[in-house]
Amino acid sequence: MDNLIFTAPDGALPEINSPAYELLSTLNDGKKHPRDHLCNELGGGFRAYLQQLTGEYYQHWLIHTEQSEYNGKKQSFYWLDERHFSCDWEQDKDARTIARKQYKDRSYYGTKNAVKRLEQARQEKAEADKEYEQRIESKKPTED
């Protein structure tokens, strides 16, 4: 962790006893780690810790991912960008800039898709309301 600690900005390192720190420690060897291996190391799912490390919470660590095969099944592999190990402030900052852009791209496209989905959901709700009015409300006895 010495190389990571040297160039990491204040607040970028998780607390030592945290699962996010365990994940970062595992990725500290610079090797590709299959999902199953990380689940075994961390005792279960690690998605939240990965999101903390790659997101704003720990200042955007650049963690790469690719699909490959491990123990006969296809799964994701994860590894930390080599620029974080460089002991060069500028290279570390470059990696964080790339990670931040990827994070913001995902956020933007997720929000954009949610807006599209919102319009579709509004239309579907209007149709459901209309059908409910016609089939259910119209059958209720009226008080005279």
Side-chain angles (χ1 to χ4, degrees), residues 54 60-62 94-104:
T54 59
H60 305 288
W61 290 91
L62 181 54
D94 287 349
R96 291 178 191 284
T97 300
I98 293 165
R100 181 174 183 269
K101 181 185 179 332
Q102 290 174 350
Y103 178 82
K104 294 301 182 180

Side-chain angles (χ1 to χ4, degrees), residues 53-111:
L53 290 172
T54 59
E56 293 173 350
Y57 198 80
Y58 291 118
Q59 301 184 33
H60 305 288
W61 290 91
L62 181 54
I63 300 173
H64 298 286
T65 183
E66 73 179 10
Q67 292 291 313
S68 194
E69 195 169 301
Y70 177 72
N71 287 342
K73 66 180 186 179
K74 190 173 184 173
Q75 60 185 276
S76 295
F77 282 68
Y78 301 88
W79 70 99
L80 194 58
D81 189 89
E82 66 275 354
R83 287 170 277 213
H84 291 300
F85 301 108
S86 68
C87 293
D88 179 328
W89 295 88
E90 293 302 315
Q91 285 191 38
D92 183 75
K93 194 177 278 190
D94 287 349
R96 291 178 191 284
T97 300
I98 293 165
R100 181 174 183 269
K101 181 185 179 332
Q102 290 174 350
Y103 178 82
K104 294 301 182 180
D105 284 349
R106 286 189 305 272
S107 176
Y108 171 77
Y109 290 112
T111 302

Side-chain angles (χ1 to χ4, degrees), residues 5-47:
I5 293 170
F6 181 74
T7 55
D10 289 341
L13 291 170
E15 298 75 32
I16 290 178
N17 296 331
S18 71
Y21 186 86
E22 286 184 50
L23 176 57
L24 189 59
S25 294
T26 301
L27 297 174
N28 182 46
D29 63 5
K31 297 177 183 174
K32 295 180 181 182
H33 295 271
R35 181 189 182 285
D36 284 355
H37 171 75
L38 292 173
C39 285
N40 289 336
E41 288 287 312
L42 300 170
F46 60 94
R47 183 173 177 228

Side-chain angles (χ1 to χ4, degrees), residues 124-142:
E124 291 170 355
K125 181 189 179 318
E127 291 168 8
D129 288 348
K130 182 179 178 182
E131 182 180 8
Y132 179 83
E133 181 69 34
Q134 291 171 343
R135 295 195 52 82
I136 306 302
E137 290 292 324
S138 65
K139 293 180 183 177
K140 286 185 178 178
T142 57

